[in-house]
Amino acid sequence: MGDHCEQTMRRLNTYIDRELSETEVRKVKAHLDDCPPCEQVFDFQAEMKRLVRKECCTDDAPARLRDWVRQLGAEKPKPAG
Amino acid sequence: MAETGAQIHREAMRRPRLRLLTRNPIQIGVGGAGGVAEVAARGPAVRRAQAVVRAVARPLADVRGGGNGRNRMDQRGVGMSSDFSLFERHIDALYRSALRLTRKPEDAEDLVQETYLRAYRYRNRFKPGTNEKAWLFTIMTNVFRNRLRKRPAPEDPIDQPGTDFDIYDQMRRDGMPVHLMSPEEIIVDRGFGDEVKRALEELPVPMRMVVVLVDVEDFSYKEVASILDIKIGTVMSRLHRGRQALQKKLWEYSGRPKAPSLAVGAR
């Protein structure tokens, strides 16, 4: 594993999370384009992130909770104090 | 910018006028008592709502919208008592995260209710133009952490540091031809998808909160740092360890390595 690989792997999380500066993004991207093994690791970790999101987004709030919140928002309370 | 303790205390002493739904469903619009807020809360709901108020001793509205552009939902904000719908629209996000935190639908519902009660009560403190989703999550994670302090979940796993693990690396070391498989194939092949929620819910709370906020809710590190009142470096390390722990659990659930189904050439 070369220096570039190591640097890229260290930045992989922040790259996946879109937390890097543009300059850094360019560096990481350039390396990934050049280095299939690193690119594969990136692909897998990015897919894992997508998987977590996808699996967890299936639970919607129950209708009665939704109604309750809507009612709460519709209340016209007296001014506080 | 902190609210004074006296102010918080005064607010805490005022009885919440909403009964929490999970304990005792309210028939909205039935029975003549008028709106939901006409129903006086008693007992545990009152004590809980008071605890909620005490729990949040730091300002909530500090999370700027923007960051790197994600979660910048809406710049118009809510004025005084105006647009509660700005908050309402995040109910699914709050609920699914509450579910990951509490692990139980009834507790999740309760947590979301308390979050909205507080948001409603303190809606005037929300700064228009800031990120209302982050504001709501600040409230919710505070309520949750406060509850946990009082009633620690006994089954909460111990945080074991220093367990470097990732699935890809493990498979490679096991001699599996990962380079011939697409990420989707690996995930489907090993059935990782089915166990994500369970794995996530077994993570220690600090890691779980960060993974949920970053990976599920798409908050930036900066926003998460603000929501949880921790340093960005802490967000990053918890995220890193949380992801590793998650993958380790998925790996363990999926059992011993099977022979790959070898869809060679898919990449």
Side-chain angles (χ1 to χ4, degrees):
Chain A
M1 198 191 239
D3 277 358
H4 285 305
C5 296
E6 259 175 55
Q7 278 170 23
T8 302
M9 288 301 109
R10 262 206 309 277
R11 289 177 173 147
L12 203 57
N13 269 335
T14 41
Y15 180 72
I16 288 169
D17 296 329
R18 291 170 292 159
E19 294 280 347
L20 289 179
S21 69
E22 267 180 53
T23 322
E24 288 175 308
V25 166
R26 269 198 297 276
K27 275 189 209 160
V28 173
K29 210 166 175 326
H31 178 73
L32 292 179
D33 286 346
D34 266 4
C35 179
C38 281
E39 193 194 16
Q40 281 165 3
V41 175
F42 161 73
D43 284 345
F44 183 77
Q45 302 304 346
E47 188 60 29
M48 285 302 295
K49 181 178 165 103
R50 275 194 289 275
L51 179 74
V52 170
R53 181 171 166 82
K54 192 185 90 190
E55 290 299 319
C56 291
C57 280
T58 52
D59 303 296
D60 282 351
R64 61 176 186 154
L65 180 62
R66 200 179 294 279
D67 288 345
W68 183 88
V69 172
R70 199 173 294 131
Q71 285 287 314
L72 180 67
E75 288 292 328
K76 292 278 177 281
K78 301 174 195 86
Chain B
M1 82 168 295
E3 320 151 6
T4 66
Q7 196 180 350
I8 294 167
H9 188 70
R10 259 200 316 280
E11 299 266 17
M13 290 302 106
R14 287 177 47 218
R15 295 194 146 215
R17 295 188 304 153
L18 284 150
R19 184 150 57 182
L20 297 188
L21 155 86
T22 42
R23 296 299 149 97
N24 206 340
I26 295 158
Q27 295 298 308
I28 291 165
V30 179
V36 191
E38 301 296 320
V39 186
R42 288 183 184 83
V46 172
R47 284 195 296 278
R48 269 206 316 280
Q50 289 174 346
V52 171
V53 176
R54 285 192 297 271
V56 186
R58 67 192 180 88
L60 298 169
D62 224 12
V63 188
R64 291 274 156 200
N68 50 13
R70 282 173 284 140
N71 286 308
R72 190 192 286 142
M73 303 299 294
D74 195 321
Q75 293 301 323
R76 75 199 150 89
V78 283
M80 284 300 278
S81 63
S82 62
D83 200 358
F84 202 72
S85 64
L86 190 63
F87 300 139
E88 280 174 45
R89 74 172 76 156
H90 298 295
I91 188 167
D92 287 328
L94 288 166
Y95 179 75
R96 69 186 173 223
S97 295
L99 205 50
R100 296 289 89 74
L101 295 179
T102 63
R103 307 178 179 130
K104 289 186 196 125
E106 62 272 22
D107 289 349
E109 226 174 300
D110 204 70
L111 180 58
V112 171
Q113 270 195 308
E114 226 157 79
T115 302
Y116 273 108
L117 270 178
R118 274 197 57 95
Y120 180 78
R121 178 175 294 165
Y122 296 119
R123 64 200 179 284
N124 294 352
R125 290 187 207 170
F126 174 74
K127 291 188 195 134
T130 60
N131 183 339
E132 79 283 351
K133 186 179 174 186
W135 189 70
L136 290 167
F137 271 83
T138 305
I139 297 175
M140 188 165 86
T141 49
N142 270 305
V143 173
F144 176 70
R145 286 191 292 197
N146 189 258
R147 284 186 180 186
L148 212 59
R149 261 197 297 276
K150 290 197 181 133
R151 203 180 32 160
E155 75 275 30
D156 236 37
I158 308 295
D159 180 4
Q160 291 163 333
T163 44
D164 266 5
F165 184 90
D166 85 71
I167 287 174
Y168 194 86
D169 195 44
Q170 181 66 42
M171 291 180 82
R172 196 161 45 187
R173 277 187 281 139
D174 283 355
M176 298 179 74
V178 274
H179 57 293
L180 300 175
M181 302 166 78
S182 71
E184 294 87 346
E185 278 177 304
I186 295 172
I187 286 165
V188 171
D189 204 58
R190 298 290 303 258
F192 291 136
D194 310 334
E195 304 281 11
V196 168
K197 286 183 195 173
R198 179 179 152 207
L200 191 52
E201 286 173 15
E202 285 182 5
L203 295 185
V205 167
M207 290 184 201
R208 202 190 319 159
M209 290 205 279
V210 171
V211 173
V212 164
L213 292 173
V214 173
D215 281 351
V216 184
E217 299 308 331
D218 209 26
F219 284 113
S220 70
Y221 294 174
K222 201 174 153 202
E223 287 167 334
V224 175
S226 174
I227 289 170
L228 297 176
D229 199 21
I230 55 180
K231 296 193 179 91
I232 288 194
T234 310
V235 172
M236 290 167 74
S237 65
R238 285 185 190 172
L239 182 64
H240 183 62
R241 288 186 299 135
R243 284 175 174 164
Q244 289 198 332
L246 183 75
Q247 292 202 5
K248 191 156 196 215
K249 285 184 182 302
L250 291 175
W251 179 258
E252 285 162 4
Y253 298 157
S254 73
R256 302 203 157 278
K258 305 168 235 175
S261 62
L262 274 187
V264 176
R267 279 183 58 90

